[in-house]
Amino acid sequence: MSELTIIDMHCHLYRSEEHGQEMRDYFLTAPLVKPGATNLGTLSEFEGMMDACGISACNALMLTWSGRYHRHGQYLLPDDPAEREAADADLRARAARRAHDNNSWAAQVSADNDRFTYFAGVNPLVMGPEGAAEEAAVQLAQGALGIKLSPGDIGAPGGDPAYYPLYEYCVAHDVPILTETGGHNPNVRPAGFAEALAAYPDLKICFAHFGHDKALRGPLDLEVLELARRYERVYTDTSLRLNEVYDGTWTPEDMVAHLRDLGIERAMFGTNYVFSDLLNTRPGHVEAPDHVDPRFTQVWKSVDVLKKLPLTDDELIGLASGNFRTFTDRAA
């Protein structure tokens, strides 16, 4: 096989060192971040990571913690009800503006650099249900390939009616969505989208990390598997999971069996950089070889595993980049 094209379809890019520091120190916070981690997810850092690890292109998921901004801002609102209502509206507008500005910065990066694409982040509780759909339309016009949802930060599970105008827009315009998954917050469980998929069976949606269980084929992974079996436009990505094959948490054969059970044509390579190399490692973590830049350990391990999985050539090409192009309707 000629040199493999690898698209990291799940990563988090920040527009300055200051924004990266906010992500590391305010959004993730110290207990989650490994001591001494210096990663900030800036554009120049990403370019170094891609060159060091053999990543051909990156798709940035523009996560703005607008829900946290709004919730934490409640402490500063006036007590007087009339003043409070106006101040809360201003707070929502400022949080929505931050998300819009981050999205639009990513649009410019994507326009200027063919190694980067992006999914725009929206929040229907902060922006309003119609406002989230409007932001999606604005960003698609600016070049976004899809939409990023963060139900944990938004504060509502995927079946909440506040998402429905966004779903209607995405179905009508064949726009893909990626959502976080995990068990740390009930809003983030994949099963929370079951009602929405029943209402919008043509919704094209990627559940990140297979489900984000601590063990392969745990309850959350099985929730994604069940949705993938019921809906042909349900996808998933490998972020935070392939590096654990390197650590010996499960075998390459078990990983491939799970991918094929999901439908390997609907699985996409991702790493979750910059989070992947900021988060504290799980028990059993194995260090990469000495020649690997320690800032990019988890990404390097994920790429190494990807290339060595016992897949057919067609399956490998699809997982590495082809399935993402199908998901986003991009020409090969």
Side-chain angles (χ1 to χ4, degrees):
M1 184 187 297
S2 59
E3 185 175 350
L4 184 66
T5 297
I6 302 175
I7 298 175
D8 183 349
M9 68 82 61
H10 185 138
C11 52
H12 298 277
L13 180 67
Y14 292 96
R15 54 185 168 130
S16 67
E17 290 189 359
E18 291 74 19
H19 281 256
Q21 288 165 355
E22 181 184 325
M23 170 272 299
R24 186 187 63 193
D25 302 333
Y26 170 68
F27 181 67
L28 290 181
T29 69
L32 293 173
V33 176
K34 64 184 179 184
T38 60
N39 309 60
L40 298 175
T42 60
L43 183 60
S44 61
E45 182 181 294
F46 257 80
E47 290 172 330
M49 177 274 289
M50 295 164 73
D51 292 340
C53 297
I55 302 285
S56 310
C58 281
N59 182 60
L61 307 175
M62 297 311 296
L63 168 59
T64 300
W65 31 93
S66 53
R68 182 173 296 195
Y69 286 145
H70 181 249
R71 287 188 292 275
H72 288 187
Q74 298 296 303
Y75 296 111
L76 296 175
L77 297 182
D79 291 328
D80 179 86
E83 292 183 52
R84 188 178 185 87
E85 182 178 358
D88 185 59
D90 178 67
L91 176 62
R92 289 177 185 274
R94 288 160 57 198
R97 174 62 184 271
R98 175 61 71 90
H100 171 77
D101 288 350
N102 288 339
N103 290 335
S104 294
W105 173 81
Q108 191 61 56
V109 170
S110 177
D112 292 343
N113 190 326
D114 61 9
R115 298 180 80 186
F116 291 91
T117 57
Y118 79 108
F119 276 28
V122 302
N123 183 333
L125 295 193
V126 167
M127 298 173 173
E130 298 296 338
E134 291 169 4
E135 175 67 8
V138 167
Q139 294 303 323
L140 267 292
Q142 293 190 140
L145 296 185
I147 298 301
K148 160 66 172 169
L149 292 179
S150 303
D153 178 70
I154 292 168
D160 192 290
Y163 293 99
Y164 282 18
L166 175 67
Y167 296 156
E168 290 171 6
Y169 174 84
C170 289
V171 168
H173 298 276
D174 199 28
V175 177
I177 291 173
L178 182 144
T179 182
E180 64 176 332
T181 62
H184 61 284
N185 181 318
N187 292 323
V188 186
R189 292 191 71 101
F193 284 81
E195 187 174 339
L197 281 164
Y200 299 96
D202 290 329
L203 190 66
K204 188 188 290 185
I205 186 165
C206 174
F207 291 95
H209 327 300
F210 297 168
H212 209 179
D213 264 311
K214 293 182 179 180
L216 188 65
R217 296 181 77 87
L220 300 173
D221 290 353
L222 294 181
E223 287 180 11
V224 174
L225 179 59
E226 172 61 22
L227 292 172
R229 287 172 172 170
R230 291 168 59 188
Y231 301 101
E232 293 181 358
R233 291 163 71 85
V234 164
Y235 284 67
T236 191
D237 73 53
T238 68
S239 58
L240 300 180
R241 308 306 291 268
L242 291 185
N243 49 306
E244 293 176 351
V245 175
Y246 191 97
D247 294 342
T249 305
W250 45 78
T251 68
E253 290 75 18
D254 285 343
M255 175 60 69
V256 169
H258 185 64
L259 287 166
R260 288 173 175 161
D261 206 8
L262 284 161
I264 197 165
E265 73 282 356
R266 290 186 278 154
M268 300 173 283
F269 177 79
T271 68
N272 205 29
Y273 191 80
V274 62
F275 294 168
S276 62
D277 283 271
L278 276 175
L279 299 172
N280 274 312
T281 53
R282 293 179 177 179
H285 165 74
V286 176
E287 294 294 339
D290 290 342
H291 68 82
V292 177
D293 189 320
R295 296 176 300 165
F296 311 138
T297 296
Q298 304 303 333
V299 175
W300 185 91
K301 287 159 63 173
S302 296
V303 171
D304 185 70
V305 169
L306 171 71
K307 292 178 177 179
K308 295 176 180 177
L309 286 175
L311 299 167
T312 68
D313 285 353
D314 286 346
E315 287 174 331
L316 177 58
I317 291 168
L319 183 61
S321 60
N323 298 341
F324 174 69
R325 290 183 170 126
T326 299
F327 183 60
T328 56
D329 286 330
R330 298 176 70 210

